[in-house]
Amino acid sequence: MEVLSCLPPVLPRLQDQVEEYLLTPELLPIHSATNSRKWFPRVPEPHRLYSLCSLPASSRLEVERDPATGEITGLREVASRDAGATSKNSLSLGRAPGPPEEVVRGSTTNYPFWPGGFPEPEVDTEAVEAADIFDPENFLLSHPRLSGGMTFGKAEQVAEKDVAKEQEGQQEEGLVVNLADILNEQKIFEEEQQPAKPVGGSLSLEGLSQEDANLVQEFSIEPPPPPPRKQEFVLDTSSTTAAPVIAKNTEWAENVDINAPVDDFASRVPNPACSYPFELDTFQKQAVLHLEQQDCVFVAAHTSAGKTVVAEYAVALSLKHMTRAVYTSPIKALSNQKYRDFKIKFEDVGLLTGDIQINPKASCLIMTTEILQSMLYNGSDLIRDLEWVIFDEVHYINNAERGHVWEEVLIMLPATVSIVLLSATVPNTIEFADWIGRIKKRKIYVISTSQRPVPLEHFLYTGTGGRSKDDRFLLVDARGTFITKGYNDALAAKSDMKKSQQMQGGRHGRQHLGEKQEKNLWIGLLDHLVRRDLLPVVAFTLSKKRCDSNAQLLLSQDLTTSREKGEIHAFIRRCTDRLQGSDKKLPQVLYMRTLLLQGIGVHHSGILPILKEVVEMLFAKGLVKLLFATETFAMGVNMPARSVVFDSIRKHDGMAFRDLVPSEYIQMAGRAGRRGLDTTGTVIVLCKTEVPEMADLHRMMLGKPSKLESQFKLTYSMMLRILRVESITVEDIMKRSFSEAVQMANQSKYKEELQQTKARLANEPDFSCLVCKDMKEYYAAARDYTKQRRQVYASVMVFPGVMKAMAPGRLLLLSNGQYQQRLACLLKVDTRDQNKLTVFVLKGKAETENPSQEEVQKKELLAASHDSFEVLEDTTGHTTLEVPPSSVAAILAKILKISADKVIDNIKKRQIPRFRDDPPSQSVQDLINHMQRLNVSRGEELPHFNLLMDLGVREMGAVAQIRTLDTLRSKVRERACMECPMFQEHFEQAFVRLNLEEKAGRLTFLMSEEALQLHPEYKMRTQVLRQMGYIEQNNTVTLKGRVACEMGSHELMVTELVMENVFGESPAEVIAALLSSMVFQQRNCSDPSLTPELKKGVKQFKEVARNIGRVQKDCGLLEPVEDFVDQFNFGLTEVVYQWACGMPFNKIMELTDVQEGVTVKCIQRLDEVLKDVKNAAHIIGDPNLREKMEAASTAIKRDIVFTPSLYTQ
């Protein structure tokens, strides 16, 4: 059998298959009859035709009215600018609503609504119109397979084409549809206009009195402008009544006279939105009248004066108008308390805070200012319905850390929102209101009162218990009069007490009382207050530690009756029943129960939130007789007491100890005096060891409160949120900040001056000289030289060699006012103020006394080209001047022998009118003779001192400044124009034009964005964002930037941690523990015991922070790298880790010395950070990190830490 040499052909060759596929397409399956003409059964569903996708209307109808009668004469179709507008592409209030889940909080991808007061965005109408015009050249007229189609063009052109076709015999009638004919057939949405019928006669002067006719002729009365046409693109933000716009050059703030009685209040407000069982004060009536007119008001009044009435009326108006009102407060605890108060008065009230959301669809929403800031930036649809925003405690704008939030919110509010500002008394209400009115283009009505409903009496208490327990001395009476006798009596009593202690062998000069002395003092004071019926009392103790220790000392005191104890016990039990398991037995809970049963309370940030609320409610009921509290208790809620005691008037402000400023003292002292119960409020200052200085007490009690000042600052979060929107720039926000209020107010003046300067410049003839071509360069060099010279001589006067040289009789070259390069003799250097020099100069009779600023500047720049002094032709006059060191142009190496004091005394004497004609004394005449001889000699042999070589200036900074001065002097002297024989005349001619050009440039700069105070920092921070990849080169926000927008704080740090996947391998508990460093701020705490995994995470955190700090440093920001790293505090890392792992609260408190209240607040704020990171994980598409954040949030949200507020239940 023969073996085959190859395998049998089981499969066809590939080549044959390709040829068959290409050469025989009829064999392909698609041509098979089995795959063609198949019938698919179809069930008719007519209702599907009814659901059409609604497209936004591209136009709307506007009514045309007769300007004289108001009668409707027709309709006009205008283009709708909001067609297709959504929260992702438009800032208009007329844009389409977003999804329901974004109604309240909004979204970081939304655009904010257009801020009120901003100029309307400019639209390139020509480009838009050009895009809408039909271009027949680019349109197809008919389908290639059809014989006819549609003709685009004018009717005349179409008719000509039709005639031509008929002549050529083309019978195509009926196949061409002329669009122009259709559009010209009739005007859509247009009614046939009928002539308006005059109603009541035409507008004329007939029938008017002569006085009325003159009035009509005096004012130019014109009909209202016609409705905007399509090309005008008017921004129709809302159908509600437009906010009143005040003329640009009017005053934006108006002070309301609260002394003017409002006798016709009932007739002017016949149907009030809210009524009260008592008659309103005058300032409250004035505020209500303006609220009824939709005006913005700023109410500044003392604590307990009744500012809340104004806020309540604004809320009532929103309920009446079926709109919304937002009430903002500076702290979360105050929001909870206001929610309870408003809930009692108004049913439809909601609460929005970082961790809770109650009834967000309510007409009145209570929230912190940060929540409103987030809603504005995120374009919350709730903003559409806002009619009123009430800012309580607006003086909190002075807070260095959070004050910028108030400014941003005020800037970003839409024009449809009216503003109510409530504040304690501040001295610059008009200035602040003018700023708000200017940026919002609305007048602000300021209603300020310094009257207290219950006047205060201020006392000094020098007692220490025992026989001195009644030593109380009146210092300021109810009329505000400072009583010096009371202060002297307090000094005498304290002095007698010290002598008595010395006789008994007590130690003298102790700065603090011992524990026993402190206890005796408080027991004696408490007995004094009880006998004088001055309870309840708030004892402001500006230290949490002293609050606790003072309360501990008084545990033996019992201030409540048996019935009151029963009420307290029952109330505490109802509140603590909310707690779980071991939380009811926490040491602080048990301790506070014991204190409260005695009628004593403690209120500070270290107390658990639920216990602080228990204390507040019991105090409001009058069951707490003595309350030790820190400064935060004085903020916001109206909880007055019979009296107030200051344990000390010194506080630590985070940097050093200082006395209370008047605004702080007034805020706390204002808690004394209950309206309707007390005739006066009693304020007592304890003098434990020494009586404070009288001047300090007077300034604190009767001094002016702190002014409202801008704390505006640039944050990366704000910058990224604004950079998302093309129509608004960060510079727009910066220029409207309170810090730029003066600059913004002067813009119109700058603009007017610039126009005038340019007009003068246009009329100024050009200067021409072949030699003086570099006159402009000389002008700039001389200006820089004179400026540098002033700086140098102002700074070198402190050096020993210069001070030694500046002896009486020293000859100087002076550059001051009209005296440029003038020889002068130094008479005196003021020992108390070395910035004041007394010099003697000669002057001529023809010299002007008050030359113009331009004349002085011209002489100064011209004198910069000379080393020698100005030679006078007439030296009959002389005078003395007091000048600063910066007016010295040179120190000469010659000193005259004179009697300086005699010269000064004689010249002063002859300035008295009756001695004016007396001849100069011999000392003065000798000095005049010396100066005249030098003038005749033209200054020969008068060398200048060299500041470096002759006067021994060696400090590096000063040496650099002097060398710069020498360089600039050389630049001035090397100019070719100085060789011109007519240099002086030519400079005087060129100076006018050069000075005008410089002035125009300065005014242009002042009107530009570069003049903003924070503009350099903005450029630096923009460079940081660009270098780290948060924005592109054209400032477009990248994915990292979008992630950073989700962060409430520390946006760069958290974003870098997320994007670098630092959390990738860590469990949820570790992530929560590490992120606690973002919210924990207390520095003096015990060191945590960290696991190896936590130590590794802390190291990674610090490395990321260090990298960010380096980038900031490289871009020019001044914050040191290590300071940026140290702001992240890991002191509570172990506690949070164990809490997330499930450890009970009483156990985690054994791991640290941080107080319970601070720990709870830290964990609550941590939950907000976890939510931010979860949202960031959603944006970048990291489901693993998102799940971890949800797990971490669930792990920490338990037990006493997240117990609901008593005010919300």
Side-chain angles (χ1 to χ4, degrees):
M1 186 174 178
E2 186 178 356
V3 180
L4 298 175
S5 60
C6 62
L7 296 175
V10 178
L11 298 174
R13 293 187 310 160
L14 180 61
Q15 182 179 355
D16 295 339
Q17 294 182 36
V18 173
E19 289 179 355
E20 181 182 2
Y21 178 80
L22 296 176
L23 300 178
T24 58
E26 65 274 5
L27 299 178
L28 293 175
I30 60 174
H31 297 287
S32 174
T34 59
N35 294 328
S36 64
R37 295 185 179 277
K38 282 192 175 182
W39 179 78
F40 298 93
R42 187 170 178 179
V43 179
E45 297 180 6
H47 65 274
R48 291 190 303 176
L49 301 175
Y50 306 152
S51 58
L52 300 176
C53 180
S54 59
L55 296 176
S58 60
S59 63
R60 67 178 185 276
L61 295 180
E62 286 190 354
V63 175
E64 292 181 341
R65 295 180 182 272
D66 184 90
T69 64
E71 183 179 353
I72 297 176
T73 59
L75 297 174
R76 180 191 296 273
E77 183 185 14
V78 296
S80 175
R81 183 174 178 174
D82 299 328
T86 67
S87 59
K88 312 301 179 185
N89 60 17
S90 172
L91 291 85
S92 171
L93 283 168
R95 71 194 188 194
E101 60 271 15
E102 296 179 3
V103 169
V104 179
R105 302 278 184 165
S107 170
T108 54
T109 59
N110 289 352
Y111 280 19
F113 291 109
W114 190 256
F118 278 53
E120 293 184 1
E122 297 181 359
V123 178
D124 188 356
T125 56
E126 294 182 0
V128 176
E129 288 179 350
D132 290 341
I133 296 176
F134 288 133
D135 186 3
E137 299 296 331
N138 298 327
F139 288 166
L140 293 175
L141 304 181
S142 61
H143 192 275
R145 297 289 183 91
L146 299 179
S147 57
M150 184 173 287
T151 300
F152 298 90
K154 295 183 179 179
E156 295 80 2
Q157 297 173 352
V158 175
E160 292 177 1
K161 291 182 180 180
D162 290 343
V163 172
K165 288 182 179 180
E166 290 178 1
Q167 292 176 352
E168 294 174 4
Q170 296 180 355
Q171 302 297 328
E172 302 289 348
E173 295 182 3
L175 298 179
V176 177
V177 181
N178 189 351
L179 181 62
D181 290 339
I182 297 176
L183 294 178
N184 289 332
E185 185 69 25
Q186 60 179 357
K187 293 184 178 180
I188 305 175
F189 299 112
E190 186 169 322
E191 295 182 358
E192 183 177 357
Q193 297 188 5
Q194 298 290 339
K197 296 180 180 180
V199 179
S202 60
L203 182 63
S204 68
L205 302 183
E206 297 179 4
L208 297 179
S209 65
Q210 184 62 35
E211 182 180 355
D212 294 339
N214 294 336
L215 183 64
V216 173
Q217 289 178 339
E218 181 180 352
F219 293 96
S220 176
I221 301 177
E222 298 179 354
R229 294 175 293 177
K230 178 180 180 180
Q231 62 268 25
E232 291 177 352
F233 289 92
V234 175
L235 181 63
D236 183 15
T237 56
S238 176
S239 60
T240 58
T241 304
V245 178
I246 310 300
K248 190 169 185 180
N249 293 327
T250 59
E251 193 71 21
W252 298 108
E254 181 176 324
N255 201 357
V256 178
D257 183 11
I258 62 168
N259 296 320
V262 190
D263 298 329
D264 57 346
F265 179 75
S267 60
R268 295 172 67 179
V269 188
N271 299 311
C274 182
S275 58
Y276 293 89
F278 53 87
E279 183 177 358
L280 300 181
D281 292 338
T282 303
F283 85 91
Q284 294 170 334
K285 291 180 180 179
Q286 295 278 15
V288 168
L289 289 175
H290 285 289
L291 292 181
E292 286 282 354
Q293 299 171 14
Q294 303 294 303
D295 292 331
C296 299
V297 297
F298 180 11
V299 181
H302 284 297
T303 304
S304 304
K307 299 188 294 288
T308 305
V309 168
V310 182
E312 290 176 350
Y313 199 86
V315 173
L317 278 175
S318 67
L319 293 171
K320 180 180 179 181
H321 300 161
M322 291 185 288
T323 56
R324 291 180 188 263
V326 164
Y327 187 102
T328 69
S329 65
I331 54 177
K332 177 184 171 183
L334 182 56
S335 296
N336 294 336
Q337 294 165 350
K338 283 297 181 182
Y339 171 76
R340 183 199 61 171
D341 296 343
F342 277 47
K343 187 74 174 176
I344 296 173
K345 190 169 187 65
F346 309 104
E347 184 64 27
D348 194 15
V349 180
L351 176 65
L352 293 178
T353 60
D355 59 342
I356 193 171
Q357 183 170 301
I358 300 175
N359 194 15
K361 296 182 180 180
S363 296
C364 174
L365 290 175
I366 315 295
M367 62 184 71
T368 57
T369 315
E370 281 80 1
I371 297 295
L372 180 57
Q373 177 199 32
S374 175
M375 291 169 60
L376 288 169
Y377 280 128
N378 293 345
S380 166
D381 283 329
L382 186 145
I383 302 297
R384 300 172 190 270
D385 303 331
L386 268 186
E387 182 183 8
W388 297 98
V389 171
I390 303 144
F391 294 92
D392 196 6
E393 307 290 334
V394 77
H395 52 268
Y396 208 81
I397 199 172
N398 284 347
N399 184 273
E401 294 295 324
R402 298 170 56 210
H404 67 97
V405 177
W406 273 257
E407 294 190 50
E408 291 181 34
V409 169
L410 287 167
I411 293 171
M412 292 299 296
L413 281 175
T416 55
V417 179
S418 298
I419 301 171
V420 176
L421 303 160
L422 306 179
S423 169
T425 52
V426 289
N428 60 333
T429 52
I430 293 294
E431 177 189 354
F432 187 73
D434 182 75
W435 164 67
I436 297 176
R438 193 174 301 277
I439 65 173
K440 308 310 290 183
K441 299 294 184 290
R442 298 186 64 177
K443 182 166 284 189
I444 310 295
Y445 292 89
V446 178
I447 301 170
S448 181
T449 174
S450 59
Q451 297 296 323
R452 289 186 177 276
V454 181
L456 300 181
E457 292 181 334
H458 303 258
F459 296 85
L460 294 178
Y461 184 81
T462 60
T464 56
R467 289 179 297 177
S468 65
K469 63 183 178 182
D470 291 328
D471 288 356
R472 184 177 60 140
F473 304 94
L474 180 63
L475 190 63
V476 178
D477 62 17
R479 294 174 295 180
T481 304
F482 192 89
I483 301 176
T484 307
K485 181 179 182 302
Y487 180 81
N488 293 332
D489 292 345
L491 277 178
K494 203 67 180 174
S495 177
D496 294 343
M497 191 179 303
K498 288 181 179 180
K499 291 179 182 178
S500 175
Q501 291 175 353
Q502 289 178 355
M503 293 178 61
Q504 297 176 5
R507 287 184 292 177
H508 177 61
R510 290 188 58 172
Q511 297 298 318
H512 301 285
L513 299 180
E515 182 177 319
K516 184 177 180 181
Q517 291 175 308
E518 190 86 26
K519 181 177 181 179
N520 291 337
L521 185 152
W522 279 104
I523 291 176
L525 175 62
L526 197 56
D527 179 68
H528 172 79
L529 296 175
V530 169
R531 288 186 289 105
R532 296 294 193 280
D533 191 23
L534 293 177
L535 296 183
V537 57
V538 178
F540 283 107
T541 311
L542 307 178
S543 162
K544 293 185 290 184
K545 184 177 180 181
R546 285 212 310 274
C547 277
D548 295 331
S549 62
N550 288 343
Q552 180 75 28
L553 292 175
L554 297 179
L555 274 175
S556 60
Q557 303 299 303
D558 191 355
L559 304 176
T560 55
T561 63
S562 300
R563 181 177 179 180
E564 290 173 335
K565 282 183 172 59
E567 291 184 39
I568 295 171
H569 186 273
F571 183 78
I572 295 176
R573 185 179 61 186
R574 287 199 306 271
C575 296
T576 55
D577 283 345
R578 304 170 182 270
L579 304 179
Q580 305 292 327
S582 60
D583 291 342
K584 297 180 180 180
K585 303 296 182 181
L586 286 173
Q588 193 177 89
V589 174
L590 300 177
Y591 172 66
M592 288 295 294
R593 178 186 286 117
T594 303
L595 273 179
L596 291 171
L597 287 173
Q598 304 296 103
I600 302 172
V602 178
H603 189 284
H604 57 72
S605 61
I607 304 298
L608 288 166
I610 189 172
L611 294 181
K612 281 202 297 184
E613 293 177 351
V614 168
V615 171
E616 291 166 2
M617 292 180 175
L618 290 176
F619 184 83
K621 293 180 178 180
L623 298 176
V624 171
K625 311 298 182 181
L626 170 61
L627 177 63
F628 291 100
T630 53
E631 190 176 354
T632 54
F633 183 78
M635 184 179 298
V637 177
N638 185 17
M639 289 190 178
R642 177 68 181 84
S643 59
V644 162
V645 171
F646 284 89
D647 176 79
S648 172
I649 59 171
R650 293 183 61 79
K651 65 175 284 188
H652 194 277
D653 59 3
M655 300 180 65
F657 280 99
R658 61 169 176 81
D659 289 340
L660 293 173
V661 297
S663 56
E664 294 169 336
Y665 178 83
I666 292 170
Q667 182 82 1
M668 288 183 274
R671 292 298 165 198
R674 298 163 297 179
R675 189 169 189 175
L677 296 177
D678 305 320
T679 56
T680 59
T682 302
V683 183
I684 299 174
V685 177
L686 300 186
C687 305
K688 292 184 177 181
T689 57
E690 299 287 344
V691 178
E693 292 292 333
M694 182 188 296
D696 295 338
L697 291 171
H698 190 280
R699 181 174 57 253
M700 181 182 68
M701 295 178 178
L702 301 177
K704 287 186 177 181
S706 301
K707 293 174 59 178
L708 295 177
E709 296 180 349
S710 175
Q711 301 295 335
F712 185 81
K713 61 183 178 182
L714 291 172
T715 63
Y716 293 114
S717 176
M718 182 271 284
M719 291 174 61
L720 289 169
R721 286 169 167 177
I722 297 299
L723 288 173
R724 293 184 301 116
V725 185
E726 296 180 359
S727 303
I728 305 176
T729 64
V730 178
E731 289 92 339
D732 290 333
I733 304 296
M734 291 161 54
K735 71 176 62 170
R736 287 169 173 80
S737 66
F738 190 31
S739 59
E740 301 288 346
V742 176
Q743 189 77 354
M744 187 177 183
N746 290 332
Q747 288 300 303
S748 58
K749 185 180 73 172
Y750 294 153
K751 186 176 181 179
E752 183 180 352
E753 288 184 8
L754 181 60
Q755 292 173 349
Q756 296 174 356
T757 303
K758 287 183 176 180
R760 290 179 57 191
L761 196 57
N763 297 328
E764 193 67 28
D766 291 334
F767 168 78
S768 61
C769 176
L770 295 177
V771 181
C772 299
K773 291 182 178 180
D774 60 348
M775 186 66 77
K776 188 173 184 179
E777 288 75 12
Y778 171 83
Y779 178 92
R783 181 192 57 204
D784 295 341
Y785 167 68
T786 54
K787 180 180 179 181
Q788 180 69 16
R789 186 182 63 196
R790 285 193 291 268
Q791 293 178 355
V792 167
Y793 279 95
S795 60
V796 299
M797 290 297 170
V798 297
F799 294 102
V802 180
M803 294 175 63
K804 184 177 179 181
M806 297 295 285
R810 174 67 61 188
L811 292 180
L812 308 172
L813 286 188
L814 191 66
S815 177
N816 181 268
Q818 63 179 325
Y819 304 104
Q820 296 295 329
Q821 289 295 111
R822 182 66 60 89
L823 183 65
C825 179
L826 180 65
L827 298 179
K828 178 183 177 183
V829 178
D830 197 323
T831 56
R832 293 173 297 179
D833 184 5
Q834 292 188 352
N835 290 324
K836 185 186 296 184
L837 309 177
T838 303
V839 297
F840 176 91
V841 294
L842 297 177
K843 67 175 186 177
K845 291 183 178 179
E847 290 184 339
T848 56
E849 291 294 333
N850 297 308
S852 64
Q853 185 177 357
E854 291 184 359
E855 189 68 26
V856 170
Q857 186 180 5
K858 180 174 67 176
K859 292 186 65 175
E860 183 179 29
L861 296 182
L862 192 59
S865 60
H866 305 300
D867 280 333
S868 60
F869 61 82
E870 179 186 7
V871 178
L872 301 177
E873 296 180 359
D874 179 15
T875 58
T876 57
H878 63 272
T879 187
T880 57
L881 305 172
E882 288 187 350
V883 298
S886 58
S887 294
V888 176
I891 303 175
L892 304 182
K894 184 176 179 61
I895 192 168
L896 302 179
K897 294 182 179 180
I898 61 171
S899 300
D901 292 338
K902 294 182 179 180
V903 171
I904 295 174
D905 292 341
N906 182 258
I907 293 178
K908 285 184 177 180
K909 174 186 175 183
R910 287 186 291 116
Q911 289 175 349
I912 300 174
R914 63 176 179 159
F915 299 115
R916 184 169 297 165
D917 296 331
D918 288 2
S921 67
Q922 187 61 42
S923 300
V924 175
Q925 190 61 51
D926 291 343
L927 179 56
I928 293 174
N929 295 337
H930 279 302
M931 299 289 285
Q932 287 177 339
R933 283 195 294 270
L934 290 171
N935 182 71
V936 172
S937 67
R938 297 182 178 274
E940 297 178 2
E941 299 180 359
L942 281 181
H944 296 192
F945 272 141
N946 185 293
L947 294 175
L948 300 180
M949 306 299 297
D950 301 327
L951 300 183
V953 177
R954 295 287 183 269
E955 198 267 329
M956 293 182 60
V959 170
Q961 292 289 327
I962 294 170
R963 296 199 184 282
T964 302
L965 179 64
D966 295 338
T967 303
L968 292 173
R969 183 188 295 113
S970 301
K971 287 184 178 181
V972 173
R973 308 294 164 79
E974 66 187 14
R975 301 262 68 90
C977 60
M978 294 182 62
E979 303 297 329
C980 179
M982 300 182 65
F983 167 70
Q984 183 168 345
E985 292 80 0
H986 288 173
F987 179 80
E988 291 179 354
Q989 296 175 16
F991 172 79
V992 177
R993 185 174 189 86
L994 294 173
N995 187 51
L996 288 174
E997 290 177 353
E998 181 186 15
K999 183 178 180 181
R1002 183 173 63 254
L1003 291 171
T1004 303
F1005 171 77
L1006 290 174
M1007 294 174 62
S1008 68
E1009 296 169 346
E1010 285 76 10
L1012 298 174
Q1013 298 178 18
L1014 294 177
H1015 194 267
E1017 182 185 349
Y1018 167 62
K1019 291 297 183 183
M1020 296 174 193
R1021 291 189 180 274
T1022 303
Q1023 185 61 28
V1024 171
L1025 294 175
R1026 191 176 290 122
Q1027 189 168 329
M1028 298 187 69
Y1030 289 85
I1031 58 176
E1032 303 285 356
Q1033 290 298 323
N1034 61 353
N1035 289 351
T1036 303
V1037 179
T1038 62
L1039 177 63
K1040 283 182 72 173
R1042 288 180 54 201
V1043 172
C1045 288
E1046 295 286 343
M1047 306 304 162
S1049 60
H1050 302 294
E1051 46 278 349
L1052 293 194
M1053 182 66 181
V1054 180
T1055 304
E1056 290 298 313
L1057 293 171
V1058 172
M1059 301 302 289
E1060 293 184 14
N1061 200 26
V1062 174
F1063 304 134
E1065 299 178 358
S1066 302
E1069 296 81 5
V1070 172
I1071 297 174
L1074 294 174
L1075 287 176
S1076 68
S1077 63
M1078 308 280 183
V1079 293
F1080 182 56
Q1081 297 176 341
Q1082 182 175 320
R1083 290 297 173 184
N1084 51 345
C1085 62
S1086 58
D1087 294 330
S1089 177
L1090 305 180
T1091 65
E1093 193 171 10
L1094 287 175
K1095 290 181 180 179
K1096 178 183 176 182
V1098 170
K1099 184 178 179 181
Q1100 288 178 310
F1101 258 60
K1102 291 186 175 181
E1103 187 58 35
V1104 171
R1106 198 167 282 110
N1107 291 337
I1108 298 174
R1110 292 194 193 102
V1111 174
Q1112 291 190 148
K1113 192 73 174 177
D1114 294 341
C1115 292
L1117 292 175
L1118 300 179
E1119 184 178 16
V1121 176
E1122 290 306 315
D1123 286 0
F1124 184 82
V1125 176
D1126 291 342
Q1127 68 178 311
F1128 302 104
N1129 189 350
F1130 296 90
L1132 217 59
T1133 304
E1134 180 189 9
V1135 171
V1136 175
Y1137 175 75
Q1138 296 296 344
W1139 177 253
C1141 290
M1143 182 178 288
F1145 191 80
N1146 60 341
K1147 295 295 183 183
I1148 67 168
M1149 291 313 302
E1150 298 175 0
L1151 304 176
T1152 182
D1153 58 355
V1154 178
Q1155 291 184 310
E1156 292 87 339
V1158 177
T1159 302
V1160 168
K1161 183 179 180 181
C1162 174
I1163 298 176
Q1164 288 176 345
R1165 294 181 59 194
L1166 172 62
D1167 185 58
E1168 299 177 20
V1169 177
L1170 296 176
K1171 290 178 181 177
D1172 293 340
V1173 177
K1174 183 180 72 173
N1175 294 335
H1178 175 71
I1179 291 177
I1180 64 175
D1182 189 346
N1184 182 35
L1185 180 60
R1186 182 182 175 88
E1187 291 175 0
K1188 286 183 180 180
M1189 292 301 99
E1190 290 179 349
S1193 180
T1194 303
I1196 66 172
K1197 291 180 69 172
R1198 59 184 176 88
D1199 299 346
I1200 195 171
V1201 174
F1202 283 87
T1203 301
S1205 169
L1206 298 177
Y1207 291 112
T1208 62
Q1209 302 302 310

